[in-house]
Amino acid sequence: MSSLNKGIEKVEVTLKWDPSPSGTPATDLDLIAATYPVDAPHGRPAYLVHFDSRAPDGTITLSRDSRTGQGLGTDEAMTLELDRLSDDYGRVVVGVAIQQNAGRKTFGEVANTGVRISEGRSVLASEDLAAVAASTAATVGEFFRDGSGAWKFRKAVRGFDADPAEFAALMGSC
């Protein structure tokens, strides 16, 4: 775990959900991280990490990307090495979006959703997305630099009615 002086250093975000019932189209949820520059923390993201990608500098990686929710435990996992992120960036927003390939689906229609944000053994947030059941995408948390440059975390569950591309453009607006 990081010291109080250093702030948060390295976190893992995991996502799980149950597969769709037999005979229905697969449900695909995706973790998305949007990184914002210090001088525009609520503007357009400098870059996104999603859909089996990584940050240009390797500090944010999506190491697991399920398209069905099948399997045991975690379906998607993302690592954020905030202590290695350039001083040019001051905010990282993490969210979840449902792919809408087979028609509109909300979190309330996806069984057993769960997002967990951890630093080592410390759980920073755990969310079942019930608070945003009518939404198709949601932010779940944000990391930001404080006045000393240390990374801090704020749980920020906010629902959106947007497809993944629209959500990526909107997720840092607040």
Side-chain angles (χ1 to χ4, degrees):
M1 184 156 80
S2 63
S3 71
L4 293 176
N5 294 339
K6 293 182 180 178
I8 297 170
E9 294 179 349
K10 182 177 181 180
V11 297
E12 181 178 53
V13 181
T14 59
L15 172 64
K16 69 177 185 81
W17 71 97
D18 285 349
S20 299
S22 182
T24 63
T27 301
D28 182 6
L29 276 62
D30 288 304
L31 284 172
I32 301 172
T35 304
Y36 297 87
V38 170
D39 60 351
H42 299 280
R44 295 183 54 93
Y47 63 84
L48 298 170
V49 175
H50 57 90
F51 316 131
D52 206 22
S53 68
R54 62 185 285 151
D57 61 3
T59 57
I60 303 174
T61 56
L62 183 63
S63 57
R64 182 177 237 177
D65 182 20
S66 173
R67 289 178 170 80
T68 64
Q70 293 179 327
L72 300 174
T74 299
D75 296 309
E76 299 214 355
M78 181 180 283
T79 302
L80 295 86
E81 295 180 70
L82 298 168
D83 58 332
R84 290 185 43 230
L85 197 60
S86 167
D87 291 341
D88 295 336
Y89 303 109
R91 184 171 178 236
V92 179
V93 178
V94 177
V96 178
I98 304 172
Q99 292 291 338
Q100 301 295 320
N101 301 331
R104 186 177 187 282
K105 187 173 271 192
T106 65
F107 290 117
E109 298 171 285
V110 181
N112 200 26
T113 59
V115 180
R116 185 180 177 121
I117 302 173
S118 310
E119 181 183 27
R121 293 180 184 228
S122 298
V123 176
L124 302 175
S126 184
E127 177 63 42
D128 65 8
L129 303 175
V132 291
S135 301
T136 60
T139 58
V140 292
E142 68 177 296
F143 297 91
F144 59 95
R145 291 189 195 265
D146 68 8
S148 71
W151 286 99
K152 302 296 181 189
F153 174 75
R154 178 180 3 214
K155 186 174 178 180
V157 180
R158 181 174 173 221
F160 294 81
D161 190 11
D163 67 32
E166 293 170 314
F167 174 59
L170 297 170
M171 64 190 288
S173 61
C174 60

